[in-house]
C-alpha cells in the first residue's frame, strides 16, 4: 500500500500533516506529533504586527506611542503577550529543525505585501523547509473593491518569491467572487501550494453586556464541504499543491479531501481533541479504505471525485444546486 504524496515538492509518507496551532510552540509536543505519525508540521504564525512593532515601533504604519492611535492599537496584544518574539521565532525554527526529521513549515501572518515580509529571509536562514503565508484580513473599508485585495495577495506572493528560495504556500479565505481566478493568480505569482481555507473567527454577541466577544471553537466536519467543492474545482487545473485545512476530523473526512483532489490534509482541531495519535489513526484508516477499494497508490484515487473531467463545471454546479432544492419533499 503506497500512501506517499508530494506536498510543496516534499515526498511525505502520507498526506496528514499538523496545521498551524499552539501545538507547534513546544519542542516536546512537536516530537510527540512526529512520534504520533505526523508527516510535516506548520509552526504557528509570526504576525506582521509583531514584526513591524519590533522593527519600527509601528503597527499598520501607526506609531504605537502616538495618542491619536492609542484607542485602535489597544486592540492588539502587547509585544510581551506573544508566545515568541520575531528573533525567538527564528531560533525556534532552528531548534525544531534540529529536533525532528519531518519537514518544518514556518508561517507568516499579515494583511499586506510590504517590507515586513523580508523577515521571511531570516526564517529561511533559520532552516525552515517552506513558508506558509497567511494573508488573513477582514476588509471593512467599503471603498476597497475585491480586485485590489486580489492584487495585494498576488503582490505579496511575488514579493516573497523574489526574496526566498524555499517553497511558499498561501493560506487564503474562500470569500472571493471568483476563487478559481484567485487560485490561478497565486499560481502565476509562484505559489507552490494553496491552503484551503482560513477559518474566520467570527465574534458572537453577549446579549447581557450587548458587546461582541471573540471565541475559538474547534471545527466540525460540516466545514469540510466548502473545501471539498473548491478542491474538486481546482484539481488538475492549477499547478500548486492543494492542501485542505478546516473540518477534517475522521479518516473518512481525509479520504473525501483526497478524492476531491487534495495533495495533503492539515489537522488541528482533531489533534487538539484526540492527541498526536490521530495521525496514525488517519493513515491506518486511509490504508484500510484503499485496500477495500483495491487501490495500491494514492495517485490512483486522488481527484476521483473532482470536476476535472466535467466538460462544464459551472453547469454541473448549477444543476446540482437546482436538483438539491427540488429534492426537498414536504
Ligand atoms: C488555537 C488555534 C490557534 C491557531 N493558530 C493559527 C496560527 O497561528 N496561524 C494560522 O495560520 N492558523 C492558525 N490556526 C488555524 C488552524 O491552522 C486551522 O486552519 C484551523 O483550525 C482549521 O483546521 P481544523 O479544522 O483542523 O482545526 C489556529 C487554530 C486554532 C484552533
Amino acid at each position: 500500500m503506497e500512501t506517499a504524496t508530494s506536498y510543496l515538492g516534499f515526498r511525505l509518507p502520507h498526506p496528514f500533516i499538523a496545521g498551524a496551532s499552539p501545538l507547534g510552540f513546544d519542542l516536546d509536543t512537536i516530537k510527540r506529533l512526529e512520534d504520533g505519525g505526523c508527516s510535516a508540521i506548520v509552526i504557528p504564525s509570526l504576525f506582521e504586527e509583531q514584526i513591524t512593532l519590533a522593527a519600527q515601533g509601528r503597527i499598520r504604519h501607526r506609531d504605537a506611542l502616538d495618542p491619536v492611535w492609542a484607542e485602535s492599537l489597544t486592540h492588539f496584544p502587547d509585544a510581551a503577550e506573544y508566545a515568541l518574539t520575531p528573533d525567538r521565532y527564528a531560533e525556534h525554527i532552528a531548534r525544531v529543525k534540529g529536533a525532528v526529521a519531518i519537514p518544518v513549515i514556518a508561517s507568516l501572518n499579515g494583511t499586506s505585501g510590504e517590507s515586513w515580509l523580508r523577515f521571511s529571509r531570516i526564517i529561511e536562514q533559520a532552516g525552515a523547509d517552506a513558508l506558509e503565508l497567511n494573508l488573513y484580513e477582514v476588509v471593512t473599508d467599503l471603498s476597497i473593491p475585491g480586485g485590489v485585495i486580489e492584487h495585494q495577495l498576488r503582490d505579496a506572493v511575488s514579493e516573497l518569491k523574489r526574496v526566498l528560495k524555499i517553497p511558499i504556500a498561501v493560506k487564503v479565505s474562500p470569500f472571493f467572487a471568483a476563487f478559481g481566478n484567485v487560485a490561478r493568480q497565486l499560481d502565476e505569482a509562484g505559489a507552490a501550494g494553496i491552503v484551503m481555507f482560513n477559518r474566520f473567527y467570527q465574534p458572537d454577541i453577549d446579549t447581557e453586556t450587548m458587546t461582541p466577544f471573540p471565541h475559538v471553537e474547534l471545527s466540525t466536519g460540516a466545514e469540510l464541504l466548502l473545501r471539498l467543492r473548491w478542491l474538486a474545482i481546482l484539481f488538475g487545473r492549477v499547478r500548486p499543491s492543494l492542501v485542505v485545512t478546516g473540518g477534517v476530523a475522521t479518516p473518512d473526512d481525509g479520504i473525501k479531501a483526497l478524492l476531491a483532489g487534495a495533495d495533503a490534509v492539515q489537522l488541528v482541531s482533531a489533534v487538539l481533541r484526540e492527541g498526536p495519535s490521530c495521525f496514525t489513526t488517519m493513515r491506518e484508516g486511509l490504508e484500510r479504505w484503499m485496500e477495500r477499494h483495491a487501490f495500491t497508490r494514492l495517485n490512483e484515487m486522488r481527484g476521483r471525485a473532482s470536476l476535472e473531467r466535467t466538460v462544464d463545471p459551472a453547469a454541473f454546479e448549477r444543476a446540482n444546486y437546482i436538483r438539491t432544492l427540488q429534492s426537498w419533499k414536504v
Side-chain angles (χ1 to χ4, degrees), residues 260-279:
D263 294 288
V265 175
Q266 291 189 1
L267 303 172
V268 168
S269 294
V271 197
L272 291 171
R273 268 192 297 258
E274 294 155 36
S277 64
C278 77
F279 290 103

Side-chain angles (χ1 to χ4, degrees), residues 155-168 189-192:
D155 291 350
V157 177
S158 305
E159 163 77 8
L160 269 182
K161 274 295 285 181
R162 263 197 299 278
V163 295
L164 289 187
K165 292 192 188 69
I166 54 175
I168 303 157

